[in-house]
Amino acid sequence: MILKALIFSNSFALIIALLLIFMDRVINNYGPCTLTINDDKEIQARGGSTLLRNLFESKYFIPSACGGKGTCGYCKLIVTEGGGGVLPTEELMLSSAEKREGYRLTCQLKVKNDMKLYIPEEYLNIREYTGRITVFDPLTVDIRRVGITLFGDDEIAYKPGQYVQVKIPAGPEIDYRAYSMASCPDEHDRIEINVKLIPDGLGSTYIHSLSVGEPLEFSGPYGDFFLRHDSHRDIICVAGGVGLAPIKSILLYWDRHNMNRMLWLYYGAKSTADLYDHEQFVDLAARESGLKYFPALSEPADDWTGKTGFIHTVMEKELPGDIHGEAYLCGPPIMIDAVTAVLIAKGVPEERIWYDKF
Ligand SMILES: Cc1cc2nc3c(=O)[nH]c(=O)nc-3n(C[C@H](O)[C@H](O)[C@H](O)COP(=O)(O)OP(=O)(O)OC[C@H]3O[C@@H](n4cnc5c(N)ncnc54)[C@H](O)[C@@H]3O)c2cc1C
Ligand code: FES
């Protein structure tokens, strides 16, 4: 009896879901619409599809790091006409001030009629690239180093810490996932990304299924997490797990440019098996007196003689209290929050702390 009721309610839910998809795809066919960008350019858009997807299809690349799920808040743009009221799925990501200014979450907002919108100048420089995988090495049990060399004479310019959006086939549609560049920006013909495999994850599973020689498309560069050049302050870098990727880009750039600034590198992982490129940093710290390197393991084996515990507790002990630094953090949200609290307690103001959480 209970089983019958369960089957009935599941089938009912499935029928409702299919009906909603059908209504959205077929009945809510708003036809072609015109998007006016920056009071200057007009593009044709597919009514019924999101503003973000329409912009991507017309080669306007807007930052978006959550695959359009409405959880990263990166895809905000000002829509001055045709957007309608703010949707419940946008509410959490828009402040009152942003709503007053007309900001909308473009991954949630569907194009239903003509629209006018504003795209900031810096986004207009973002473009698409295609390259071939030339490096595909395992770094840990679930992280791969993926080196991509651009086709032909193409070149990419980016700042250390920024990320790209890799194109991921997702059935009949295309999806995108953000991956930070782990390479030195001086190498304009190639990039390196470090990709952690997430069980059942669309993007990471796809990238892990590739091999040397296969093509990969991406757009970029994106993000305001990058090394600032306008100071002589110490650079405090903190990485957790695969959050090492953009931090490595900053470190390589710092080394290549002989920057006359101390760099404090705190790198947390679970065990030695999860710590990658560690030897490279040990060698660099031996060669460069300006680099202070603190790797730490939260679940060390008996033969580990280095620091132990979570990385913020190591920083509490090892980072001087009177440091005049600026900080770059990358790792899981819980790590970023704990490290930020330590930095603030040590006198690093919040406006000099930049981070990417993933
Ligand atoms: C700015 C930025 C830079 C990034 N740089 C990198 C990078 O350099 N290297 C890298 O590997 N990733 C990076 N990421 C994360 C990356 O964009 C994807 O979110 C990640 O690869 C998972 O995507 P997926 O398609 O495999 O999983 P999805 O299909 O999106 O997710 C599948 C399931 O796994 C869950 N999930 C997603 N992420 C995690 C996680 N970390 N741990 C546990 N469960 C999870 C989801 O909630 C979902 O239930 C970055 C993210 C941002 C925002
Ligand atoms: S793409 Fe992440 S909130 Fe829109």
Side-chain angles (χ1 to χ4, degrees), residues 109-121:
L109 180 59
K110 283 196 174 159
V111 177
K112 297 182 178 174
N113 40 250
D114 295 351
M115 278 182 177
K116 285 191 175 180
L117 56 133
Y118 176 75
I119 300 182
E121 195 66 33

Side-chain angles (χ1 to χ4, degrees), residues 6-20:
L6 261 177
I7 292 172
F8 177 76
S9 67
N10 282 346
S11 313
F12 185 68
L14 186 69
I15 290 167
I16 295 287
L18 288 172
L19 259 175
L20 284 173

